């Protein structure tokens, strides 16, 4: 049994169960409450019957059969059956009932699965859906040339029948549901890893996106039905980019998929339509949804194509971030102790927040993480770029003290990345610029801790931003090599800021501290289906870096609240252990001090002792954590319970631990 043979039977099923609810004379469906209930029952029967056919088809597929070529008459009959079914189902999408629309969407996706063995009929179904969507959008936008689509080879005369059947009642809601159906079909193709059907699917996306006159959307961007359509469109584009993007494939954007340049060109318009001006802004919940999806779309595009996105595009994205999310970029990153993410449901710590306030707080933090990650990716991509649009900063501006170059139209590309990143650091570390060098570095480390804490509650974004910063540090080191300046100028040098605030060694130490030096947390990350690869890559790169700079790893001091993760008993055990070789210098607080010592000397000595203690405790905890992680991975791998080959990670752990076994200095 194949999808070819199911079309006539499907057509009869739809006619028998659904046609009684149609009003052919007016080409619509009007429902009372009782009629809606009966229609939902009928739709459920259609869906269940199709599911039965799919299961029968899967059983029959075990027997390899070769289908003979169909005659033109049979092909024409199958096409007409499909168009009749599609016309009836799309007509039901115009009904003002979300339950009916949802049921119809499930049926269309099931029909797609039923027809999948027949590429020809599946092609016809998907193509007809895209053509229908294009016609509806053009109709709602009051465009001319609607009938031209009816001349399409695959759409044919039957397509005109579909048009005449539902176009009069179709609106933005109908278009939104068709997009949702097409997105669900795309998701099913991804789950089945069907490359052949995916190629068929993708070839129809480009004509739709290129044929719709998007500029006309400006006239109706704040109308509620159109908002629903825009939400569905952005959600579909996110799925499309995720499906078509392959980060490991280094090809030019237009060679990878012709649709994606169109998506990139649509981005500024999508921001304008969805977020708009403040006076025309949609309600808060819708605004939050659009914010999340638009940032997700740009992040997926940036991760999919990285260096192949033009500097002009990256600069335009930075401008969009400044125009719409400047508040999120500059919002202080000090941890919100009563954040909903940190509390159990019903916790008294949330009693002071209404449900809406708690939800807004959670969304605000999520959007801030997205916006900052995208901002950093754009800046570092521009800084590392080369080409026509990456004019270098003149020597006089290497320290970035002359911020007036921001308004200079002659500067773009690499200079834009440097300047925007500098201004962002300046906003978050403004007070530290007035401090001495030692205090400046301490402020940078505190900023790095706050930055890391911001991302700890979203594991996927956490490892993305950590990997981004490891890459950026290496990139900046190469970019600024040979351009080091005295400290008085370096405080305004972006390389100095990044090397202190986002040092890979410092962030790695802080990361281990924030997970309380618990190797089980790292192990959970490594075996996670979604995070395993990212976590393994981050650990490998950090271990490689610390092996070449082990003295920095040993000497890093985690001070203040950072050591609160260690209980007093655990700190005492560490101090009594063989690895903790504390200096008992004459000025140590454990020794009797002479009353004649100057108070300032005593304070300096106490401070030095405390810093030395924190440094050694952090080193011992980090070392023990990595050693325990190595042992756990080896045990799981020995039992064939580790999800992938950890050989490279284990080798790097061994090298790292050997380098840390050198005498502590």
């Amino acid at each position: 049994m194949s999808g070819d043979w199911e079309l006539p039977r499907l057509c009869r099923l739809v006619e028998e169960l659904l046609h009684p609810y149609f009003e052919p004379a007016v080409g619509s469906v009007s429902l009372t409450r009782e009629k809606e209930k009966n229609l939902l029952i009928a739709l459920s029967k259609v869906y269940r019957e199709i599911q039965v056919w799919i299961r029968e088809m899967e059983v029959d597929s075990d027997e390899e059969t070769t289908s003979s070529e169909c005659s033109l008459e049979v092909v024409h009959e199958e096409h007409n059956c499909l168009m009749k079914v599609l016309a009836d189902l799309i007509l039901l999408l115009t009904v003002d009932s979300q339950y009916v629309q949802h049921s119809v969407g499930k049926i269309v996706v099931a029909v797609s699965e039923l027809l999948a063995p027949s590429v020809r009929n599946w092609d016809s179904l998907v193509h007809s859906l895209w053509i229908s969507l294009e016609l509806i959008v053009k109709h709602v936008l009051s465009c001319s040339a609607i009938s031209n689509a009816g001349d399409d080879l695959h759409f044919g005369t039957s397509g005109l029948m579909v048009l005449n059947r539902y176009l009069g009642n179709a609106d933005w809601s109908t278009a939104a549901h068709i997009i949702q159906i097409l997105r669900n079909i795309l998701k099913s193709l991804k789950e089945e890893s069907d490359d052949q059907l995916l190629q068929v699917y993708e070839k129809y996306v480009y004509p739709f996106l290129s044929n719709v006159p998007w500029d006309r959307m400006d006239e109706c961007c704040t109308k509620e039905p159109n908002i629903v359509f825009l939400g569905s469109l952005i959600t579909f584009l996110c799925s499309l980019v995720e499906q078509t993007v392959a980060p490991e494939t280094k090809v030019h954007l237009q060679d990878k998929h012709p649709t994606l340049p169109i998506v990139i060109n649509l981005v500024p318009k999508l921001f304008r339509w969805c977020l708009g001006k403040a006076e025309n802004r949609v309600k808060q919940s819708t605004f939050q949804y659009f914010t999340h999806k638009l940032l997700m779309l740009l992040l997926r595009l940036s991760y999919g194509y990285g260096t192949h996105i033009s500097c002009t595009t990256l600069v335009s994205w930075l401008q969009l971030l400044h125009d719409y999310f400047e508040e999120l970029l500059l919002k202080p990153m000090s941890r919100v102790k009563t954040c909903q993410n940190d509390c159990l449901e019903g916790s008294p710590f949330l009693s002071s927040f209404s449900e809406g306030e708690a939800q807004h707080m959670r969304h605000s933090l999520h959007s801030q993480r997205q916006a900052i990650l995208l901002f950093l990716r754009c800046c570092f991509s521009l800084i590392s770029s080369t080409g026509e649009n990456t004019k270098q900063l003149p020597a006089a501006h290497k320290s970035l003290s002359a911020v007036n170059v921001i308004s200079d139209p002659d500067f773009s590309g690499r200079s834009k990345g440097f300047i925007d990143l500098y201004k962002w650091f300046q906003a978050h570390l403004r007070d530290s610029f007035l401090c001495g060098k030692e205090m400046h570095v301490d402020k940078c480390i505190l900023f790095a801790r706050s930055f890391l804490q911001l991302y700890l509650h979203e594991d996927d974004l956490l490892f993305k931003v950590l990997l981004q910063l490891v890459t950026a540090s290496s990139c900046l080191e190469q970019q600024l090599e040979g351009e080091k300046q005295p400290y008085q100028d370096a405080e305004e040098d972006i390389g100095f800021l990044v090397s202190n605030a986002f040092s890979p060694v410092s962030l790695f130490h802080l990361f281990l501290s924030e997970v309380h030096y618990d190797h089980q947390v790292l192990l959970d990350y490594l075996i996670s289906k979604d995070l395993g690869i990212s976590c393994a890559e981050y650990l490998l790169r950090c271990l490689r870096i610390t092996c070449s700079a082990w003295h920095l790893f040993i000497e890093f001091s985690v001070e203040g609240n950072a050591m609160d993760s260690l209980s007093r008993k655990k700190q005492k055990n560490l101090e009594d252990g063989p690895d903790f070789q504390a200096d008992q210098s004459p000025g140590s607080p454990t020794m009797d001090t002479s009353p004649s010592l100057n108070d300032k000397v005593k304070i300096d000595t106490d401070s030095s002792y405390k810093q030395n203690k924190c440094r050694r405790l952090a080193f011992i905890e980090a070392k023990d954590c990595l050693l325990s992680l190595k042992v756990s991975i080896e045990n799981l791998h020995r039992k064939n319970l580790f999800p992938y080959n950890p050989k490279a990670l284990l080798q790097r752990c061994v090298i790292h631990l050997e380098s840390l076994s050198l005498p502590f200095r």
Side-chain angles (χ1 to χ4, degrees):
M1 183 187 303
S2 70
D4 297 348
W5 296 98
E6 296 306 326
L7 281 172
R9 184 158 61 154
L10 177 63
C11 194
R12 292 192 297 270
L13 178 67
V14 170
E15 288 180 356
E16 177 184 348
L17 293 178
L18 302 183
H19 275 201
Y21 301 93
F22 293 174
E23 298 179 10
V26 295
S28 64
V29 178
S30 59
L31 296 179
T32 62
R33 179 168 298 183
E34 184 66 24
K35 194 174 180 181
E36 179 185 14
K37 176 182 177 181
N38 294 332
L39 176 57
L40 288 171
I41 294 174
L43 288 169
S44 179
K45 290 180 180 178
V46 172
Y47 179 75
R48 288 199 303 269
E49 189 66 23
I50 294 174
Q51 290 295 320
V52 171
W53 297 346
I54 291 173
R55 287 192 292 270
E56 292 175 351
M57 182 178 63
E58 290 174 347
V59 172
D60 294 343
S61 65
D62 294 335
E63 303 175 5
E64 293 189 7
T65 59
T66 56
S67 58
S68 57
E69 293 187 4
C70 298
S71 63
L72 291 177
E73 291 78 7
V74 172
V75 172
H76 183 70
E77 179 184 358
E78 291 175 352
H79 182 74
N80 285 339
C81 287
L82 180 59
M83 289 299 101
K84 290 178 182 179
V85 171
L86 189 60
D88 293 337
L89 294 176
I90 292 183
L91 178 60
L92 290 174
L93 287 178
T94 64
V95 174
D96 187 18
S97 168
Q98 59 178 328
Y99 305 108
V100 171
Q101 293 168 335
H102 176 72
S103 298
V104 170
K106 289 176 59 179
I107 290 175
V108 177
V109 175
V111 171
S112 169
E113 186 177 356
L114 180 69
L115 299 180
S118 172
V119 177
R120 183 185 69 253
N121 285 327
W122 191 89
D123 183 318
S124 183
L125 170 68
V126 172
H127 188 201
S128 298
L129 284 171
W130 280 113
I131 289 292
S132 300
L133 178 61
E134 179 184 334
L135 294 175
I136 292 174
V137 173
K138 285 184 174 181
H139 172 72
V140 176
L141 290 173
S142 300
C143 295
S144 57
I146 291 179
S147 59
N148 292 344
D151 299 330
D152 187 275
L153 178 62
H154 293 280
F155 208 60
T157 305
S158 298
L160 292 176
M161 177 192 68
V162 176
L163 173 64
N164 294 328
R165 188 76 174 270
Y166 65 77
L167 187 56
N169 296 308
D171 55 15
W172 285 122
S173 177
T174 311
H177 279 91
I178 294 179
I179 289 182
Q180 293 169 16
I181 290 169
L182 287 164
R183 176 176 176 265
N184 289 333
I185 292 175
L186 179 63
K187 290 173 62 179
S188 68
L189 294 179
K190 178 182 178 181
E191 293 171 358
E192 297 295 331
S193 300
D194 195 325
D195 294 337
Q196 182 183 14
L197 293 184
L198 182 61
Q199 291 179 358
V200 174
Y201 182 98
E202 291 176 349
K203 72 179 181 181
Y204 295 126
V205 182
Y206 177 83
F208 166 74
L209 293 176
S210 58
N211 291 339
V212 170
W214 296 108
D215 291 338
R216 291 178 177 264
M217 292 284 289
D218 291 312
E219 303 171 6
C220 51
C221 61
T222 58
K223 297 179 181 179
E224 188 66 28
N226 187 38
I227 290 174
V228 176
F229 170 76
L230 287 173
S232 300
L233 176 63
I234 296 172
T235 303
F236 165 76
L237 293 177
C238 287
S239 298
L240 178 68
V241 171
E242 180 185 35
Q243 176 63 40
T244 56
V245 159
E248 69 279 1
T249 305
K250 302 300 181 182
V251 294
H252 288 291
L253 193 60
Q254 62 272 20
D255 296 334
K256 172 61 185 173
H257 196 281
T259 300
L260 293 176
I262 297 182
V263 175
I264 289 177
N265 291 334
L266 272 177
V267 164
K269 297 178 182 178
L270 290 171
F271 270 78
R272 185 171 70 250
W273 300 332
C274 297
L275 303 182
K277 298 181 180 179
E279 61 270 19
N280 297 325
R281 189 157 291 171
V282 295
K283 60 184 181 181
Q284 184 65 29
S285 59
T286 305
F287 180 80
Q288 291 174 348
Y289 178 80
F290 282 152
T291 296
H292 164 67
K293 285 297 183 181
L294 286 170
L295 290 173
M296 176 190 292
L297 177 61
L298 293 189
L299 282 171
R300 288 184 176 179
L301 285 169
S302 72
Y303 274 98
Y305 288 96
T307 57
H308 297 289
I309 295 180
S310 69
C311 290
T312 302
T313 297
L314 293 172
V315 170
S316 71
W317 288 0
L318 280 177
Q319 191 58 50
L320 289 173
L321 287 172
H322 290 307
D323 290 343
Y324 293 96
F325 305 123
E326 185 79 0
E327 182 180 354
L328 292 177
L329 293 177
L330 302 183
K331 181 180 178 181
M333 285 180 275
S334 56
R335 190 174 182 181
V336 182
K337 295 182 179 180
T338 55
C339 178
Q340 190 174 11
N341 287 334
D342 299 332
C343 304
L344 295 174
E345 184 177 356
S347 168
F349 292 104
L350 286 177
S351 59
S352 59
F353 293 96
S354 67
E355 181 179 352
E357 289 173 334
Q359 182 178 0
H360 174 70
M361 183 188 304
R362 185 173 65 251
H363 177 270
S364 176
L365 290 172
H366 170 71
S367 299
Q368 185 182 14
R369 295 172 190 127
Q370 287 182 303
I372 291 176
L373 175 57
L374 179 61
F375 173 80
L376 293 176
R377 284 192 61 79
C378 289
C379 287
F380 288 127
S381 295
L382 286 170
I383 290 172
S384 62
S385 62
T386 57
E388 296 178 358
N389 297 324
T390 57
K391 188 174 181 178
Q392 301 285 330
L393 280 171
H397 295 153
K398 286 297 183 181
S399 66
L400 299 179
S401 57
V403 294
N404 60 310
V405 297
I406 297 174
S407 60
D408 190 335
D410 292 334
F411 294 96
S412 59
R414 184 170 179 260
S415 60
K416 173 68 173 174
F418 270 115
I419 294 169
D420 276 30
L421 194 57
Y422 168 76
K423 294 191 70 179
W424 182 75
F425 271 116
Q426 187 184 48
H428 286 282
L429 292 169
R430 187 178 303 275
D431 294 339
S432 70
F433 290 134
L434 304 176
C435 304
K437 179 177 181 181
E438 182 178 351
M439 184 61 69
H440 181 91
V441 174
D442 290 342
K443 290 286 186 180
C444 284
I445 293 175
L446 290 175
F447 168 76
R449 175 171 291 281
S450 297
F451 180 89
L452 193 59
Q453 288 173 344
L454 175 67
Y455 284 90
L456 277 175
H457 294 290
E458 286 195 65
D459 297 336
D460 55 339
L461 293 180
L462 170 65
F463 286 105
K464 285 182 178 179
V465 78
L466 287 174
L467 285 169
Q468 176 64 53
L469 294 177
V470 170
T471 303
S473 178
S474 174
C475 165
L476 279 174
E477 185 177 344
Q478 296 176 7
Q479 290 278 337
L480 300 174
E481 185 176 0
E483 298 177 4
K484 295 182 180 180
Q485 304 174 27
Y487 171 70
Q488 58 268 26
D489 295 327
E491 66 177 8
E492 293 182 349
D493 181 74
I494 197 65
F496 177 83
L497 290 170
V498 174
S499 65
N500 282 279
F502 291 148
S503 162
V505 175
S506 301
L507 280 176
F508 188 41
H509 246 305
L510 291 173
F511 170 67
L512 294 177
S513 171
E514 287 299 318
V515 298
H516 308 296
Y517 300 103
D518 188 345
H519 75 281
Q520 291 289 352
V521 175
L522 299 181
L523 190 62
D524 288 342
Y525 283 143
L526 287 171
I527 64 178
S528 167
K529 178 181 178 181
D530 299 323
L531 303 173
I533 295 178
S534 298
C535 180
E537 182 181 356
Y538 176 67
L539 289 179
L540 279 170
R541 297 181 69 173
C542 284
L543 292 174
R544 186 180 300 113
I545 291 172
T546 54
C547 283
S548 60
W550 62 269
H551 58 287
L552 295 178
F553 186 80
I554 292 175
E555 295 173 0
F556 181 79
S557 175
V558 185
E559 298 185 34
N561 295 332
M563 298 311 294
D564 289 348
S565 58
L566 303 181
S567 66
R568 291 186 179 274
K569 182 177 180 181
K570 189 170 185 180
Q571 290 189 39
K572 184 67 168 61
N573 291 337
L574 287 172
E575 293 170 13
D576 294 339
D579 288 332
F580 192 82
Q581 305 168 11
D583 291 334
Q584 299 299 325
S585 59
S588 173
T590 60
M591 304 289 292
D592 291 333
T593 56
S594 171
S596 62
L597 288 176
N598 185 281
D599 290 341
K600 183 178 184 300
V601 174
K602 184 177 185 300
I603 293 174
D604 291 343
T605 303
D606 290 345
S607 176
S608 176
Y609 173 80
K610 181 181 178 181
Q611 183 178 20
N612 193 42
K613 175 182 175 181
C614 291
R615 176 166 61 93
R616 297 176 185 227
L617 285 173
F619 160 70
I620 297 168
E621 276 287 84
K623 178 182 176 182
D624 290 348
C625 174
L626 295 173
L627 178 60
S628 298
L629 177 65
K630 172 182 172 293
V631 173
S632 296
I633 294 175
E634 287 175 336
N635 290 338
L636 288 176
H637 184 50
R638 192 179 303 113
K639 299 174 184 178
N640 293 323
L641 296 177
F642 204 76
Y644 49 89
N645 189 346
K647 182 178 179 181
L649 185 59
L650 289 172
Q651 288 177 343
R652 183 54 60 180
C653 279
V654 170
I655 298 173
H656 178 76
L657 292 169
E658 287 178 350
S659 67
L660 297 185
S661 297
L662 295 171
F664 188 91
R665 299 184 185 276

